[in-house]
Amino acid sequence: MIRKQIPNGVTLCNLLCGILSIYTLYNCEKGILLAPLFILLGTVFDFFDGLVARLLKVSSTIGKELDSLADIVSFGIAPSLIVVSILQSQSQNSGIITFLPLVMALMSAYRLAKFNLDERQIENFIGLPTPANALLWISLPIINYTANNNITLWGLNMELLYSNISSVLSNPMFLIIGSLVTSFLLVSEIPMFSLKFKNLKWENNKVRFVFLAISFILIFLINIFAVPFIVFLYIIISLTINIFNNHEI
């Protein structure tokens, strides 16, 4: 009985991370930086709950529902509130337009409910996965902090590059339009490749290998600033595959 509940305990840790992210965002001096870190920790628990369930050979309907509930908080509500917070700090007001990124929370909830019923999403995804969307938006506060503190990389002063990237990503128009676009992608019928490897053969995993190779290169070159580009790359590759749909994902 206890063994069967271990994966659910891991899932609840993900949910706790989402709750702590929201709490720190509004109650800590450095909340805008701590909140994304709790979401990152939540992604670790989100990865391991399924792994633990498979290792222990246990599964349950309640575990599936609990996982979606945790994901709504950690990868839907919390990231949306982070974007709202950035937007309000940039525009120096709390007008109704600054709350538009909350649409992401609603679409994340819809997507996760749809995912539980959609039997097509076994090997790949239909629509942008909520963790990928969350990763894009929670990277912004860390990027802004890095750019504003003139942090060097590989011994080089990256101030100009970092400030240019940061200014684009923190622009109110980007935050509003970008959040609405990703909200659409969350619930779209666009197939998106997963990173699940059935085997390590090149022919069966060309897209995955290329994506991971480019991602590692970007991380090596520009560190945390690579995250938005990696998510954009994921979307672009998925769209390209759909245009040339003779390719195997």
Side-chain angles (χ1 to χ4, degrees), residues 46-139:
D46 184 55
F47 172 79
F48 278 105
D49 61 359
L51 181 62
V52 170
R54 287 190 292 273
L55 289 174
L56 296 178
K57 297 181 180 179
V58 295
S59 62
S60 65
T61 304
I62 192 172
K64 185 177 181 181
E65 299 301 326
L66 190 61
D67 185 66
S68 291
L69 176 60
D71 287 355
I72 289 170
V73 177
S74 295
F75 309 137
I77 299 172
S80 298
L81 290 173
I82 288 173
V83 179
V84 169
S85 181
I86 297 172
L87 190 55
Q88 291 180 346
S89 68
Q90 290 291 331
S91 58
Q92 301 300 317
N93 67 71
S94 56
I96 191 169
I97 196 171
T98 62
F99 290 96
L100 283 177
L102 291 179
V103 173
M104 286 194 297
L106 304 180
M107 294 303 100
S108 294
Y110 186 89
R111 175 193 161 67
L112 289 163
K114 180 182 173 184
F115 180 82
N116 284 348
L117 301 174
D118 195 342
E119 297 180 355
R120 297 172 298 168
Q121 302 189 59
I122 297 174
E123 295 184 5
N124 295 296
F125 302 110
I126 304 295
L128 181 66
T130 51
N133 182 60
L135 194 62
L136 166 63
W137 297 108
I138 68 173
S139 69

Side-chain angles (χ1 to χ4, degrees), residues 137-188:
W137 297 108
I138 68 173
S139 69
L140 302 192
I142 304 173
I143 285 173
N144 290 338
Y145 176 81
T146 304
N148 293 333
N149 285 273
N150 194 24
I151 296 175
T152 60
L153 180 66
W154 314 124
L156 301 174
N157 190 321
M158 309 289 284
E159 181 179 4
L160 182 59
L161 175 63
Y162 283 2
S163 69
N164 287 337
I165 296 175
S166 178
S167 64
V168 171
L169 295 177
S170 60
N171 183 282
M173 289 300 293
F174 172 81
L175 295 173
I176 293 170
I177 296 174
S179 62
L180 294 177
V181 169
T182 57
S183 295
F184 163 76
L185 291 174
L186 284 166
V187 297
S188 70

Side-chain angles (χ1 to χ4, degrees), residues 224-235:
I224 185 64
F225 287 77
V227 174
F229 296 104
I230 290 171
V231 177
F232 297 150
L233 177 68
Y234 173 76
I235 296 170

